[in-house]
Amino acid sequence: MSEFAEVYANYAGLVRRVLSGLVPASEVDDGVQEVFLKIHRHLDGFRGEASLKSWVYRISYNTAQDIHRGQTWQRLWKPGATVHDHSDLRPNAEMQLGDHQVLHHCLQKLSFKERTVVVLFYWEDQSLEDIARHLQIPEGTVKSRLSIARKKLQTLLEREGEVL
């Protein structure tokens, strides 16, 4: 198996999960393809200064940022949609992020940076230290963004008639 094929096999799910939380559902497939094109182009230049996983996270994050900058967000929420279980922000096997229309709508109202830490912390189960390393920001900044994002999400969900 080639080195690229190995990277794809090991990280395709991770890339898809990260992008699913950061970009509209209609952009995920193209985003995954773009991430792996970048990985393919630059794999020979990977110096191992960070872990391969951190490098893949960083490329995924940068690609999501590019998508975010280059497109206008669509309203994904439909009136009357509800999310029945707010006990955990992580999507499960039966219900992916796109199925949580109200939650997805509220997530889109967060800043891109806030949404990123929420996705990495809740969906990817990353520690604060890992998120800081992946995003190349101080751990205190991660904590601050996560705290602000939680408060905003709770307020937004309560406005939608749901309690987090």
Side-chain angles (χ1 to χ4, degrees):
M1 182 181 285
S2 74
E3 186 177 10
F4 175 76
E6 225 174 289
V7 170
Y8 183 83
N10 290 329
Y11 295 105
L14 178 147
V15 169
R16 181 165 293 282
R17 285 190 312 271
V18 169
L19 292 179
S20 292
L22 297 178
V23 302
S26 62
E27 301 287 338
V28 172
D29 288 336
D30 288 342
V32 170
Q33 184 176 19
E34 184 63 28
V35 167
F36 282 102
L37 283 171
K38 290 175 183 177
I39 288 171
H40 187 265
R41 278 188 221 121
H42 301 287
L43 191 56
D44 290 342
F46 176 67
R47 297 179 301 233
E49 293 171 357
S51 74
L52 184 59
K53 186 175 184 178
S54 289
W55 187 65
V56 171
Y57 268 119
R58 190 69 195 174
I59 292 171
S60 300
Y61 170 75
N62 288 342
T63 301
Q65 250 186 335
D66 293 343
I67 292 168
H68 176 72
R69 282 188 209 115
Q71 56 91 42
T72 303
W73 289 93
Q74 300 171 5
R75 286 189 55 89
L76 299 175
W77 177 73
K78 295 178 183 170
T82 61
V83 176
H84 301 290
D85 181 15
H86 293 292
S87 61
D88 195 344
L89 294 175
R90 292 182 205 114
N92 58 34
E94 296 82 37
M95 191 161 307
Q96 294 299 316
L97 180 62
D99 297 330
H100 292 286
Q101 291 181 336
V102 172
L103 178 58
H104 200 268
H105 170 72
C106 292
L107 277 170
Q108 300 309 312
K109 290 185 177 186
L110 297 178
S111 74
F112 184 77
K113 291 177 179 181
E114 292 163 348
R115 190 167 54 248
T116 298
V117 296
V118 167
V119 167
L120 293 178
F121 187 78
Y122 287 105
W123 275 273
E124 291 300 310
D125 286 323
Q126 294 294 307
S127 68
L128 298 173
E129 180 183 348
D130 287 343
I131 295 169
R133 187 176 61 253
H134 297 320
L135 299 181
Q136 301 172 347
I137 59 176
E139 192 172 326
T141 302
V142 174
K143 288 179 186 177
S144 173
R145 287 181 188 170
L146 193 55
S147 175
I148 291 166
R150 284 180 184 140
K151 289 175 186 169
K152 284 182 181 179
L153 270 177
Q154 184 169 0
T155 300
L156 291 166
L157 287 167
E158 287 171 353
R159 281 188 200 149
E160 297 295 339
E162 302 291 330
V163 178
L164 184 62

PDB file of all heavy atoms in Angstrom, residues 92-115:
ATOM      1  N   ASN A  92     -24.513  10.788  16.914  1.00  0.00           N
ATOM      2  CA  ASN A  92     -24.276   9.352  17.054  1.00  0.00           C
ATOM      3  C   ASN A  92     -24.449   8.685  15.699  1.00  0.00           C
ATOM      4  O   ASN A  92     -24.705   9.338  14.706  1.00  0.00           O
ATOM      5  CB  ASN A  92     -25.208   8.746  18.117  1.00  0.00           C
ATOM      6  CG  ASN A  92     -26.661   8.970  17.786  1.00  0.00           C
ATOM      7  OD1 ASN A  92     -27.058   8.975  16.628  1.00  0.00           O
ATOM      8  ND2 ASN A  92     -27.472   9.174  18.798  1.00  0.00           N
ATOM      9  N   ALA A  93     -24.297   7.380  15.671  1.00  0.00           N
ATOM     10  CA  ALA A  93     -24.331   6.656  14.397  1.00  0.00           C
ATOM     11  C   ALA A  93     -25.675   6.814  13.689  1.00  0.00           C
ATOM     12  O   ALA A  93     -25.736   6.860  12.478  1.00  0.00           O
ATOM     13  CB  ALA A  93     -24.047   5.174  14.638  1.00  0.00           C
ATOM     14  N   GLU A  94     -26.770   6.906  14.455  1.00  0.00           N
ATOM     15  CA  GLU A  94     -28.078   7.001  13.838  1.00  0.00           C
ATOM     16  C   GLU A  94     -28.408   8.427  13.392  1.00  0.00           C
ATOM     17  O   GLU A  94     -29.223   8.633  12.522  1.00  0.00           O
ATOM     18  CB  GLU A  94     -29.182   6.557  14.810  1.00  0.00           C
ATOM     19  CG  GLU A  94     -29.108   5.103  15.212  1.00  0.00           C
ATOM     20  CD  GLU A  94     -28.111   4.866  16.329  1.00  0.00           C
ATOM     21  OE1 GLU A  94     -27.990   5.710  17.232  1.00  0.00           O
ATOM     22  OE2 GLU A  94     -27.421   3.833  16.276  1.00  0.00           O
ATOM     23  N   MET A  95     -27.805   9.408  14.030  1.00  0.00           N
ATOM     24  CA  MET A  95     -28.177  10.776  13.751  1.00  0.00           C
ATOM     25  C   MET A  95     -26.925  11.615  13.535  1.00  0.00           C
ATOM     26  O   MET A  95     -26.236  11.950  14.476  1.00  0.00           O
ATOM     27  CB  MET A  95     -29.007  11.339  14.907  1.00  0.00           C
ATOM     28  CG  MET A  95     -29.625  12.648  14.562  1.00  0.00           C
ATOM     29  SD  MET A  95     -31.001  13.113  15.616  1.00  0.00           S
ATOM     30  CE  MET A  95     -32.077  11.734  15.549  1.00  0.00           C
ATOM     31  N   GLN A  96     -26.625  11.921  12.309  1.00  0.00           N
ATOM     32  CA  GLN A  96     -25.455  12.720  11.984  1.00  0.00           C
ATOM     33  C   GLN A  96     -25.787  14.201  12.145  1.00  0.00           C
ATOM     34  O   GLN A  96     -26.939  14.586  12.273  1.00  0.00           O
ATOM     35  CB  GLN A  96     -24.999  12.435  10.548  1.00  0.00           C
ATOM     36  CG  GLN A  96     -24.498  11.019  10.356  1.00  0.00           C
ATOM     37  CD  GLN A  96     -23.294  10.714  11.222  1.00  0.00           C
ATOM     38  OE1 GLN A  96     -22.383  11.514  11.318  1.00  0.00           O
ATOM     39  NE2 GLN A  96     -23.307   9.571  11.873  1.00  0.00           N
ATOM     40  N   LEU A  97     -24.757  15.036  12.117  1.00  0.00           N
ATOM     41  CA  LEU A  97     -24.917  16.466  12.325  1.00  0.00           C
ATOM     42  C   LEU A  97     -25.972  17.069  11.408  1.00  0.00           C
ATOM     43  O   LEU A  97     -26.777  17.872  11.838  1.00  0.00           O
ATOM     44  CB  LEU A  97     -23.567  17.171  12.111  1.00  0.00           C
ATOM     45  CG  LEU A  97     -23.564  18.685  12.297  1.00  0.00           C
ATOM     46  CD1 LEU A  97     -23.933  19.043  13.722  1.00  0.00           C
ATOM     47  CD2 LEU A  97     -22.210  19.235  11.950  1.00  0.00           C
ATOM     48  N   GLY A  98     -25.987  16.682  10.150  1.00  0.00           N
ATOM     49  CA  GLY A  98     -26.944  17.234   9.204  1.00  0.00           C
ATOM     50  C   GLY A  98     -28.385  16.958   9.588  1.00  0.00           C
ATOM     51  O   GLY A  98     -29.287  17.694   9.208  1.00  0.00           O
ATOM     52  N   ASP A  99     -28.639  15.899  10.365  1.00  0.00           N
ATOM     53  CA  ASP A  99     -29.987  15.562  10.803  1.00  0.00           C
ATOM     54  C   ASP A  99     -30.438  16.429  11.969  1.00  0.00           C
ATOM     55  O   ASP A  99     -31.611  16.534  12.258  1.00  0.00           O
ATOM     56  CB  ASP A  99     -30.068  14.086  11.210  1.00  0.00           C
ATOM     57  CG  ASP A  99     -29.783  13.157  10.054  1.00  0.00           C
ATOM     58  OD1 ASP A  99     -30.076  13.534   8.907  1.00  0.00           O
ATOM     59  OD2 ASP A  99     -29.244  12.073  10.295  1.00  0.00           O
ATOM     60  N   HIS A 100     -29.527  17.026  12.656  1.00  0.00           N
ATOM     61  CA  HIS A 100     -29.842  17.908  13.776  1.00  0.00           C
ATOM     62  C   HIS A 100     -30.027  19.320  13.237  1.00  0.00           C
ATOM     63  O   HIS A 100     -29.190  20.186  13.434  1.00  0.00           O
ATOM     64  CB  HIS A 100     -28.701  17.910  14.804  1.00  0.00           C
ATOM     65  CG  HIS A 100     -28.521  16.643  15.533  1.00  0.00           C
ATOM     66  ND1 HIS A 100     -29.390  16.237  16.519  1.00  0.00           N
ATOM     67  CD2 HIS A 100     -27.567  15.685  15.454  1.00  0.00           C
ATOM     68  CE1 HIS A 100     -28.966  15.094  17.017  1.00  0.00           C
ATOM     69  NE2 HIS A 100     -27.874  14.741  16.383  1.00  0.00           N
ATOM     70  N   GLN A 101     -31.149  19.554  12.587  1.00  0.00           N
ATOM     71  CA  GLN A 101     -31.302  20.817  11.877  1.00  0.00           C
ATOM     72  C   GLN A 101     -31.234  22.033  12.792  1.00  0.00           C
ATOM     73  O   GLN A 101     -30.611  23.027  12.443  1.00  0.00           O
ATOM     74  CB  GLN A 101     -32.593  20.813  11.069  1.00  0.00           C
ATOM     75  CG  GLN A 101     -32.514  19.846   9.906  1.00  0.00           C
ATOM     76  CD  GLN A 101     -33.767  19.856   9.084  1.00  0.00           C
ATOM     77  OE1 GLN A 101     -34.835  20.204   9.557  1.00  0.00           O
ATOM     78  NE2 GLN A 101     -33.637  19.467   7.833  1.00  0.00           N
ATOM     79  N   VAL A 102     -31.862  21.971  13.938  1.00  0.00           N
ATOM     80  CA  VAL A 102     -31.839  23.123  14.831  1.00  0.00           C
ATOM     81  C   VAL A 102     -30.429  23.330  15.370  1.00  0.00           C
ATOM     82  O   VAL A 102     -29.915  24.454  15.362  1.00  0.00           O
ATOM     83  CB  VAL A 102     -32.851  22.959  15.986  1.00  0.00           C
ATOM     84  CG1 VAL A 102     -32.679  24.059  17.020  1.00  0.00           C
ATOM     85  CG2 VAL A 102     -34.276  22.961  15.435  1.00  0.00           C
ATOM     86  N   LEU A 103     -29.792  22.260  15.811  1.00  0.00           N
ATOM     87  CA  LEU A 103     -28.434  22.378  16.330  1.00  0.00           C
ATOM     88  C   LEU A 103     -27.497  22.881  15.235  1.00  0.00           C
ATOM     89  O   LEU A 103     -26.680  23.779  15.462  1.00  0.00           O
ATOM     90  CB  LEU A 103     -27.944  21.033  16.874  1.00  0.00           C
ATOM     91  CG  LEU A 103     -26.511  20.998  17.405  1.00  0.00           C
ATOM     92  CD1 LEU A 103     -26.318  22.022  18.520  1.00  0.00           C
ATOM     93  CD2 LEU A 103     -26.167  19.600  17.886  1.00  0.00           C
ATOM     94  N   HIS A 104     -27.625  22.341  14.050  1.00  0.00           N
ATOM     95  CA  HIS A 104     -26.772  22.760  12.938  1.00  0.00           C
ATOM     96  C   HIS A 104     -27.004  24.234  12.628  1.00  0.00           C
ATOM     97  O   HIS A 104     -26.052  24.991  12.403  1.00  0.00           O
ATOM     98  CB  HIS A 104     -27.042  21.893  11.710  1.00  0.00           C
ATOM     99  CG  HIS A 104     -25.944  21.922  10.717  1.00  0.00           C
ATOM    100  ND1 HIS A 104     -25.923  22.812   9.680  1.00  0.00           N
ATOM    101  CD2 HIS A 104     -24.809  21.186  10.612  1.00  0.00           C
ATOM    102  CE1 HIS A 104     -24.829  22.626   8.966  1.00  0.00           C
ATOM    103  NE2 HIS A 104     -24.138  21.650   9.516  1.00  0.00           N
ATOM    104  N   HIS A 105     -28.250  24.643  12.640  1.00  0.00           N
ATOM    105  CA  HIS A 105     -28.586  26.053  12.413  1.00  0.00           C
ATOM    106  C   HIS A 105     -27.916  26.933  13.465  1.00  0.00           C
ATOM    107  O   HIS A 105     -27.326  27.966  13.137  1.00  0.00           O
ATOM    108  CB  HIS A 105     -30.105  26.214  12.459  1.00  0.00           C
ATOM    109  CG  HIS A 105     -30.572  27.624  12.474  1.00  0.00           C
ATOM    110  ND1 HIS A 105     -30.509  28.447  11.380  1.00  0.00           N
ATOM    111  CD2 HIS A 105     -31.111  28.371  13.468  1.00  0.00           C
ATOM    112  CE1 HIS A 105     -30.987  29.638  11.698  1.00  0.00           C
ATOM    113  NE2 HIS A 105     -31.361  29.608  12.954  1.00  0.00           N
ATOM    114  N   CYS A 106     -27.979  26.520  14.712  1.00  0.00           N
ATOM    115  CA  CYS A 106     -27.373  27.298  15.799  1.00  0.00           C
ATOM    116  C   CYS A 106     -25.851  27.294  15.692  1.00  0.00           C
ATOM    117  O   CYS A 106     -25.207  28.321  15.938  1.00  0.00           O
ATOM    118  CB  CYS A 106     -27.829  26.765  17.147  1.00  0.00           C
ATOM    119  SG  CYS A 106     -29.597  27.042  17.462  1.00  0.00           S
ATOM    120  N   LEU A 107     -25.259  26.171  15.345  1.00  0.00           N
ATOM    121  CA  LEU A 107     -23.804  26.114  15.174  1.00  0.00           C
ATOM    122  C   LEU A 107     -23.343  27.098  14.101  1.00  0.00           C
ATOM    123  O   LEU A 107     -22.288  27.722  14.237  1.00  0.00           O
ATOM    124  CB  LEU A 107     -23.358  24.704  14.776  1.00  0.00           C
ATOM    125  CG  LEU A 107     -23.167  23.704  15.893  1.00  0.00           C
ATOM    126  CD1 LEU A 107     -22.962  22.311  15.318  1.00  0.00           C
ATOM    127  CD2 LEU A 107     -22.016  24.087  16.790  1.00  0.00           C
ATOM    128  N   GLN A 108     -24.134  27.249  13.046  1.00  0.00           N
ATOM    129  CA  GLN A 108     -23.748  28.147  11.968  1.00  0.00           C
ATOM    130  C   GLN A 108     -23.736  29.604  12.407  1.00  0.00           C
ATOM    131  O   GLN A 108     -23.115  30.442  11.772  1.00  0.00           O
ATOM    132  CB  GLN A 108     -24.663  27.969  10.751  1.00  0.00           C
ATOM    133  CG  GLN A 108     -24.651  26.576  10.160  1.00  0.00           C
ATOM    134  CD  GLN A 108     -23.265  26.050   9.880  1.00  0.00           C
ATOM    135  OE1 GLN A 108     -22.445  26.729   9.295  1.00  0.00           O
ATOM    136  NE2 GLN A 108     -22.998  24.830  10.315  1.00  0.00           N
ATOM    137  N   LYS A 109     -24.414  29.902  13.505  1.00  0.00           N
ATOM    138  CA  LYS A 109     -24.432  31.268  14.018  1.00  0.00           C
ATOM    139  C   LYS A 109     -23.192  31.593  14.853  1.00  0.00           C
ATOM    140  O   LYS A 109     -22.940  32.750  15.148  1.00  0.00           O
ATOM    141  CB  LYS A 109     -25.698  31.509  14.839  1.00  0.00           C
ATOM    142  CG  LYS A 109     -26.943  31.543  13.972  1.00  0.00           C
ATOM    143  CD  LYS A 109     -28.154  31.888  14.785  1.00  0.00           C
ATOM    144  CE  LYS A 109     -29.373  31.996  13.863  1.00  0.00           C
ATOM    145  NZ  LYS A 109     -30.544  32.474  14.584  1.00  0.00           N
ATOM    146  N   LEU A 110     -22.439  30.566  15.231  1.00  0.00           N
ATOM    147  CA  LEU A 110     -21.190  30.802  15.949  1.00  0.00           C
ATOM    148  C   LEU A 110     -20.145  31.288  14.959  1.00  0.00           C
ATOM    149  O   LEU A 110     -20.226  31.015  13.763  1.00  0.00           O
ATOM    150  CB  LEU A 110     -20.689  29.504  16.592  1.00  0.00           C
ATOM    151  CG  LEU A 110     -21.566  28.857  17.658  1.00  0.00           C
ATOM    152  CD1 LEU A 110     -20.918  27.555  18.136  1.00  0.00           C
ATOM    153  CD2 LEU A 110     -21.813  29.793  18.819  1.00  0.00           C
ATOM    154  N   SER A 111     -19.132  31.951  15.474  1.00  0.00           N
ATOM    155  CA  SER A 111     -18.027  32.322  14.587  1.00  0.00           C
ATOM    156  C   SER A 111     -17.335  31.042  14.134  1.00  0.00           C
ATOM    157  O   SER A 111     -17.441  29.998  14.786  1.00  0.00           O
ATOM    158  CB  SER A 111     -17.027  33.227  15.313  1.00  0.00           C
ATOM    159  OG  SER A 111     -16.249  32.477  16.237  1.00  0.00           O
ATOM    160  N   PHE A 112     -16.621  31.121  13.041  1.00  0.00           N
ATOM    161  CA  PHE A 112     -15.923  29.948  12.531  1.00  0.00           C
ATOM    162  C   PHE A 112     -14.957  29.392  13.585  1.00  0.00           C
ATOM    163  O   PHE A 112     -14.858  28.185  13.775  1.00  0.00           O
ATOM    164  CB  PHE A 112     -15.175  30.305  11.240  1.00  0.00           C
ATOM    165  CG  PHE A 112     -14.501  29.124  10.607  1.00  0.00           C
ATOM    166  CD1 PHE A 112     -15.239  28.196   9.898  1.00  0.00           C
ATOM    167  CD2 PHE A 112     -13.135  28.927  10.740  1.00  0.00           C
ATOM    168  CE1 PHE A 112     -14.635  27.097   9.312  1.00  0.00           C
ATOM    169  CE2 PHE A 112     -12.527  27.835  10.165  1.00  0.00           C
ATOM    170  CZ  PHE A 112     -13.274  26.918   9.451  1.00  0.00           C
ATOM    171  N   LYS A 113     -14.261  30.266  14.284  1.00  0.00           N
ATOM    172  CA  LYS A 113     -13.292  29.835  15.298  1.00  0.00           C
ATOM    173  C   LYS A 113     -13.986  29.142  16.467  1.00  0.00           C
ATOM    174  O   LYS A 113     -13.489  28.133  16.981  1.00  0.00           O
ATOM    175  CB  LYS A 113     -12.470  31.025  15.782  1.00  0.00           C
ATOM    176  CG  LYS A 113     -11.544  31.552  14.710  1.00  0.00           C
ATOM    177  CD  LYS A 113     -10.787  32.777  15.170  1.00  0.00           C
ATOM    178  CE  LYS A 113      -9.851  33.265  14.074  1.00  0.00           C
ATOM    179  NZ  LYS A 113      -9.093  34.436  14.482  1.00  0.00           N
ATOM    180  N   GLU A 114     -15.138  29.657  16.897  1.00  0.00           N
ATOM    181  CA  GLU A 114     -15.888  29.018  17.978  1.00  0.00           C
ATOM    182  C   GLU A 114     -16.415  27.659  17.523  1.00  0.00           C
ATOM    183  O   GLU A 114     -16.328  26.670  18.257  1.00  0.00           O
ATOM    184  CB  GLU A 114     -17.050  29.913  18.416  1.00  0.00           C
ATOM    185  CG  GLU A 114     -16.602  31.189  19.088  1.00  0.00           C
ATOM    186  CD  GLU A 114     -17.687  32.247  19.158  1.00  0.00           C
ATOM    187  OE1 GLU A 114     -18.741  32.118  18.489  1.00  0.00           O
ATOM    188  OE2 GLU A 114     -17.474  33.237  19.873  1.00  0.00           O
ATOM    189  N   ARG A 115     -16.973  27.624  16.330  1.00  0.00           N
ATOM    190  CA  ARG A 115     -17.513  26.369  15.790  1.00  0.00           C
ATOM    191  C   ARG A 115     -16.417  25.310  15.682  1.00  0.00           C
ATOM    192  O   ARG A 115     -16.633  24.139  15.974  1.00  0.00           O
ATOM    193  CB  ARG A 115     -18.158  26.651  14.429  1.00  0.00           C
ATOM    194  CG  ARG A 115     -18.957  25.508  13.886  1.00  0.00           C
ATOM    195  CD  ARG A 115     -19.837  25.895  12.701  1.00  0.00           C
ATOM    196  NE  ARG A 115     -19.142  26.530  11.617  1.00  0.00           N
ATOM    197  CZ  ARG A 115     -19.300  27.796  11.261  1.00  0.00           C
ATOM    198  NH1 ARG A 115     -20.124  28.591  11.904  1.00  0.00           N
ATOM    199  NH2 ARG A 115     -18.625  28.295  10.241  1.00  0.00           N
TER     200      ARG A 115
END
